[in-house]
Amino acid sequence: MADKHVDPKEVPQLSTNNKLGRVLDIFHSTGEIFDGGQTFLAWFHLDIYASQCQQNLYYPFASLGDWEIANFLLTSRLSMRAIDKFLSLCLTNSLPLSFSTAKELCSHAEMLPSGPHWNARVVPTTHLMKSPITLYYCDSLDCVESLFNYPLFMQLMDYSPFCLFTTAEHIVRVFMEWMSSDGAWDLQLKFPKGSMLCSIILSSDKTHITNMCGRKVSHPLLISCANIHMDIRNKGSSHVFLLLALMPIPTFTHPAT
């Protein structure tokens, strides 16, 4: 596709050749680094249990095997009662586990370094409700910071807009990631030197939460960053989308007319 909107010669750039022989024009002087921020490892070492982790890598769990069983139970869909039943089996009791009940397992998990903290706010309304409308949410900046701090994404993110051409003549342009778009290039032109674009992706869908509390449902709001490469972002196992909020679906006392 021929590009008539962006002229890479109009802005500072850096041209390189990739493995396929294509020419990559990168928007230069973006993403300036400033002191004062916390990296993932620095944040990890500030944890109150950092000294115990130096003695035991799997703290608060006793060993690798202890952590593997805990991870399996925590990520399964087993209820607290089912986990208690599993941990009460004779064979399970013979294992050197650091927890014997689901409550102890959850208390161990709460000692692990956490992600963005959750907040709750009751939404006022002038209509009669069957129950208060409670919005559960995280700070969006904390979620974005968590994505940028994740070490595995460091080499899988774009920090500068770029134009990718098939040949050195700059005739046919290739569009792939968001940073390769005209929109990203044009936006970068409007920002000061040293700044970096961060594009936010939001998605939501109606989800059933539980059968135990009145069959409650909500709209989970997920947040991600378009700077992360698309092939990684589209993999559910990469955990690129973080849960930002649970938007409640209110139930009114009187039906709508």
Side-chain angles (χ1 to χ4, degrees), residues 140-250:
S140 56
L141 292 179
D142 289 343
C143 293
V144 174
E145 182 180 359
S146 178
L147 289 172
F148 271 89
N149 264 338
Y150 196 48
L152 297 181
F153 295 157
M154 183 177 62
Q155 303 296 331
L156 303 173
M157 300 182 71
D158 294 317
Y159 304 98
S160 302
F162 62 89
C163 296
L164 182 62
F165 298 91
T166 56
T167 61
E169 289 75 17
H170 292 68
I171 298 177
V172 180
R173 184 171 166 196
V174 180
F175 295 90
M176 40 193 306
E177 304 292 342
W178 177 75
M179 279 292 196
S180 68
S181 66
D182 290 337
W185 192 283
D186 293 341
L187 279 175
Q188 189 69 63
L189 289 172
K190 300 178 181 179
F191 286 95
K193 179 181 178 181
S195 60
M196 189 198 74
L197 295 179
C198 178
S199 179
I200 301 301
I201 301 175
L202 297 176
S203 65
S204 181
D205 194 8
K206 184 178 179 181
T207 300
H208 183 84
I209 297 180
T210 177
N211 291 325
M212 301 174 62
C213 301
R215 305 181 69 86
K216 289 186 177 180
V217 293
S218 72
H219 287 286
L221 183 62
L222 306 178
I223 186 172
S224 186
C225 183
N227 298 61
I228 302 174
H229 292 173
M230 184 170 54
D231 57 338
I232 302 299
R233 194 171 63 245
N234 292 339
K235 291 181 180 179
S237 58
S238 299
H239 304 290
V240 177
F241 282 85
L242 302 180
L243 184 59
L244 175 63
L246 286 173
M247 299 182 293
I249 301 177

Side-chain angles (χ1 to χ4, degrees), residues 19 67 100 107 139 148:
K19 295 179 180 180
W67 157 245
S100 58
S107 65
D139 189 292
F148 271 89

Side-chain angles (χ1 to χ4, degrees), residues 26-205:
I26 302 175
F27 198 113
H28 194 46
S29 69
T30 62
E32 184 176 347
I33 300 176
F34 297 91
D35 295 331
Q38 294 289 349
T39 63
F40 175 83
L41 289 178
W43 167 79
F44 190 84
H45 290 312
L46 288 175
D47 186 76
I48 59 175
Y49 301 108
S51 59
Q52 288 87 338
C53 291
Q54 293 179 356
Q55 304 295 328
N56 175 18
L57 183 62
Y58 304 99
Y59 186 87
F61 300 95
S63 61
L64 173 61
D66 189 28
W67 157 245
E68 287 179 340
I69 294 180
N71 184 49
F72 169 78
L73 294 175
L74 290 170
T75 55
S76 69
R77 296 188 177 183
L78 295 176
S79 64
M80 299 283 283
R81 182 177 180 180
I83 293 177
D84 282 332
K85 187 175 181 180
F86 171 79
L87 294 175
S88 64
L89 298 176
C90 294
L91 181 60
T92 309
N93 285 328
S94 64
L95 299 176
L97 300 179
S98 60
F99 51 91
S100 58
T101 64
K103 186 176 180 179
E104 290 182 359
L105 173 61
C106 291
S107 65
H108 279 44
E110 291 174 354
M111 297 170 63
L112 296 172
S114 62
H117 295 286
W118 281 94
N119 306 289
R121 176 181 299 177
V122 177
V123 181
T125 177
T126 57
H127 302 280
L128 295 177
M129 311 296 299
K130 292 185 177 180
S131 60
I133 305 177
T134 305
L135 173 66
Y136 298 94
Y137 65 97
C138 297
D139 189 292
S140 56
L141 292 179
D142 289 343
C143 293
V144 174
E145 182 180 359
S146 178
L147 289 172
F148 271 89
N149 264 338
Y150 196 48
L152 297 181
F153 295 157
M154 183 177 62
Q155 303 296 331
L156 303 173
M157 300 182 71
D158 294 317
Y159 304 98
S160 302
F162 62 89
C163 296
L164 182 62
F165 298 91
T166 56
T167 61
E169 289 75 17
H170 292 68
I171 298 177
V172 180
R173 184 171 166 196
V174 180
F175 295 90
M176 40 193 306
E177 304 292 342
W178 177 75
M179 279 292 196
S180 68
S181 66
D182 290 337
W185 192 283
D186 293 341
L187 279 175
Q188 189 69 63
L189 289 172
K190 300 178 181 179
F191 286 95
K193 179 181 178 181
S195 60
M196 189 198 74
L197 295 179
C198 178
S199 179
I200 301 301
I201 301 175
L202 297 176
S203 65
S204 181
D205 194 8

